[in-house]
Amino acid sequence: MIYRLPALTHEHEFLDLVFVAKYVDQLLQQTGNPDYGVVYEWQDEDAQGEFIDLVEGAPPDAVLLRIAGAWVRRGVIAIPRGNGEFDLTFV
């Protein structure tokens, strides 16, 4: 999985959710900004464990919300806007 914090620039991608959790907890404690508690998740492997090259601009597979030290995962429905961007709905 690839994890990205939308509150940071796109150069901040992570592969380790445990590291991301510690990092997010630290940001939340230092800043009090709840935006840092939102992390997007992209699949980077197929069902056979083969690496998938992510398409730039592809919508995330899920959103992870850091609430009271625990992750809450919500699926994402991405509705194309027609200009390469998406409206995201969390389910």
Side-chain angles (χ1 to χ4, degrees), residues 44-67:
D44 64 344
E45 294 180 354
D46 63 15
Q48 290 75 36
E50 297 291 323
F51 179 75
I52 299 170
D53 190 18
L54 293 177
V55 176
E56 189 167 332
D61 296 315
V63 63
L64 305 172
L65 307 173
R66 193 74 169 157
I67 301 172

Side-chain angles (χ1 to χ4, degrees), residues 8-88:
L8 300 175
T9 62
H10 288 296
E11 292 90 35
H12 290 82
E13 290 183 347
F14 306 92
L15 300 175
D16 182 352
L17 187 57
V18 172
F19 174 84
V20 173
K22 291 177 184 175
Y23 186 60
V24 165
D25 287 344
Q26 182 180 8
L27 288 171
L28 287 169
Q29 185 177 27
Q30 287 176 349
T31 67
N33 184 345
D35 289 344
Y36 287 119
V38 178
V39 174
Y40 289 139
E41 173 187 279
W42 281 265
Q43 194 85 279
D44 64 344
E45 294 180 354
D46 63 15
Q48 290 75 36
E50 297 291 323
F51 179 75
I52 299 170
D53 190 18
L54 293 177
V55 176
E56 189 167 332
D61 296 315
V63 63
L64 305 172
L65 307 173
R66 193 74 169 157
I67 301 172
W71 289 116
V72 176
R73 186 177 191 272
R74 299 283 186 252
V76 172
I77 297 174
I79 301 167
R81 290 186 192 167
N83 58 358
E85 294 182 5
F86 297 88
D87 288 324
L88 303 180

